[in-house]
Amino acid sequence: MLRPDQYQRAGELLSRGDLVVIPTETVYGLGASALASAAIGAVFDAKERPRDNPLIVHVGELAAALDLVPPDLGLTRRILETYAPGPITVILPAPAWAVPEVRGGLPTIAVRVPSPEITRKAIIAAGVPVAAPSANRSGRPSPTTVAMAIEEMDGRVAAILDGGPCTVGIESTIVDARSDREVVILRPGRITAAEIARDLGCVVRLRDAEDVPTPGTRYRHYTPRVPVVLVPADELDAARKEAKRLPAWTELSLQRFGDFATYEENLYRAFWDAERAGHAVILAELPPEGSAEGLTDRLRRAAVGEYRRGELGRFVGGRFFG
Ligand code: TXA
Ligand code: MG
């Protein structure tokens, strides 16, 4: 374990090709030098991740990200200038140094500048760009606390840099603005389509079936062992009444968290806690259509279905409902 003030040591380990778990504002990442094929190979092994799913490259400051943007990609440049450092990832033409293992064989790379100062200092100390997927084993929740990161990666990495709990709680918004005319959101996140359209005055759309898929979306996504049931806000009371017949259950709702940002911040940790506590079900309030699109996306991927009155037992199983 490295304390927050030991970021320099994290950088040294990264520069010599070791794996280091690094904090970011979104989720903890499993970092390795983006220039070292062997280190990248070790990342795929530690994560048990398919090799054709490319990694996000993290750089330590905005200027380093802007250096990678070709002159004709003005929209991509503006996105970085507006949101980086922050929970945004942009797709860029791959520079010569990006080894094929990082790109998953694609001619592009995904780049982001994480917010925490200790993480940016660690990357700068490393002196190399740092490839970092989320620090979970494939099919597990992305860690958003040090305890979760330890559970995922203990024994598989040289060090874990402690940055405390993540403040965003879901993975970054990934955008492709290489057309220079519109922004295509490949993975929704805290920074929303509406926000980008408003801030940049440009067309923003979510990736559709016509587009080349984000490689990662082809793979099975994390679903907690405790079934997640989506509940529209006006059905929460009915769902709660049914859930009261269960020994123990988790509720994720505005009433519990206060706002959707806090809900998002605590999402993966709440899944993890529910698993450890052996709860029968997770009732998850569904944000209204068109709001909190990152949270909605992760909830839909994690869920077994949507609540209907009198039918909670369908998801929970005969174990509790007879
Ligand atoms: O918030 C985040 O982005 C976190 C933290 C650690 O930075 N990282 C993260 O990485 O979520 P990962 O590997 O779990 O997800 C990366 C996603 C995958 O879906 C991958 O397919 C996609 O980014 N990706 C990476 N390179 C790409 C590229 N060149 N073109 C399109 N998608 C790409
Ligand atoms: Mg991931």
Side-chain angles (χ1 to χ4, degrees):
M1 285 301 306
L2 296 176
R3 291 185 318 266
D5 62 351
Q6 291 177 299
Y7 54 80
Q8 184 78 32
R9 177 74 187 136
E12 285 162 19
L13 292 167
L14 286 165
S15 72
R16 65 170 213 213
D18 285 340
L19 305 192
V20 178
V21 172
I22 52 172
T24 86
E25 73 282 34
T26 57
V27 302
Y28 273 79
L30 173 57
S33 166
L35 311 187
S37 294
I40 302 302
V43 167
F44 284 97
D45 289 343
K47 269 189 74 83
E48 302 162 22
R49 175 169 173 137
R51 304 239 163 196
D52 61 346
N53 192 4
L55 310 179
I56 295 178
V57 176
H58 297 64
V59 295
E61 51 202 333
L62 174 60
L66 292 175
D67 281 347
L68 299 171
V69 182
D72 54 326
L73 297 191
L75 188 52
T76 304
R77 176 172 296 271
R78 284 174 59 216
I79 290 170
L80 287 170
E81 285 166 348
T82 306
Y83 300 115
I88 193 101
T89 297
V90 298
I91 304 296
L92 292 170
W97 51 256
V99 297
E101 292 82 357
V102 167
R103 298 183 272 114
L106 296 172
T108 54
I109 55 165
V111 174
R112 98 177 188 88
V113 191
S115 303
E117 203 178 330
I118 57 165
T119 306
R120 294 195 286 116
K121 284 182 166 163
I123 296 169
I124 291 167
V128 291
V130 173
S134 50
N136 52 290
R137 287 168 273 141
S138 272
R140 300 273 312 142
S142 299
T144 53
T145 64
V146 162
M148 291 172 79
I150 291 171
E151 183 170 295
E152 291 304 303
M153 288 297 152
D154 192 21
R156 297 177 182 223
V157 295
I160 296 177
L161 179 61
D162 186 348
C166 302
T167 54
V168 171
I170 62 167
E171 303 83 351
S172 60
T173 305
I174 305 181
V175 300
D176 185 348
R178 286 175 300 144
S179 72
D180 209 42
R181 291 185 314 275
E182 60 169 7
V183 178
V184 181
I185 297 193
L186 303 182
R187 181 176 69 185
R190 170 65 61 89
I191 297 174
T192 64
E195 201 175 334
I196 297 171
R198 190 193 60 221
D199 292 343
L200 299 184
C202 63
V203 174
V204 183
R205 65 181 175 88
L206 293 173
R207 175 181 60 82
D208 58 39
E210 311 279 286
D211 298 308
V212 183
T214 300
T217 56
R218 287 198 304 267
Y219 299 104
R220 188 171 61 88
H221 199 267
Y222 167 64
T223 48
R225 285 192 296 275
V226 180
V228 176
V229 176
L230 303 175
V231 188
D234 56 2
E235 290 293 312
L236 260 181
D237 273 337
R240 281 181 189 128
K241 270 197 200 107
E242 270 180 72
K244 287 206 174 107
R245 299 159 59 184
L246 302 169
W249 50 283
T250 295
E251 174 177 316
L252 308 179
S253 63
L254 276 189
Q255 196 181 323
R256 172 169 171 192
F257 295 117
D259 54 56
F260 285 124
T262 309
Y263 184 165
E264 200 165 274
E265 179 184 341
N266 288 283
L267 182 73
Y268 291 141
R269 192 200 327 194
F271 286 166
W272 194 70
D273 286 343
E275 286 186 343
R276 299 191 128 200
H279 284 183
V281 73
I282 298 168
L283 298 182
E285 178 178 346
L286 202 51
E289 190 80 39
S291 64
E293 63 206 34
L295 174 63
T296 302
D297 172 76
R298 302 313 187 279
L299 284 172
R300 289 205 178 277
R301 289 173 190 278
V304 292
E306 200 161 319
Y307 173 74
R308 285 213 303 270
R309 283 199 190 186
E311 294 185 13
L312 191 59
R314 194 156 63 87
F315 300 117
V316 178
R319 199 151 65 97
F320 298 110
F321 278 79

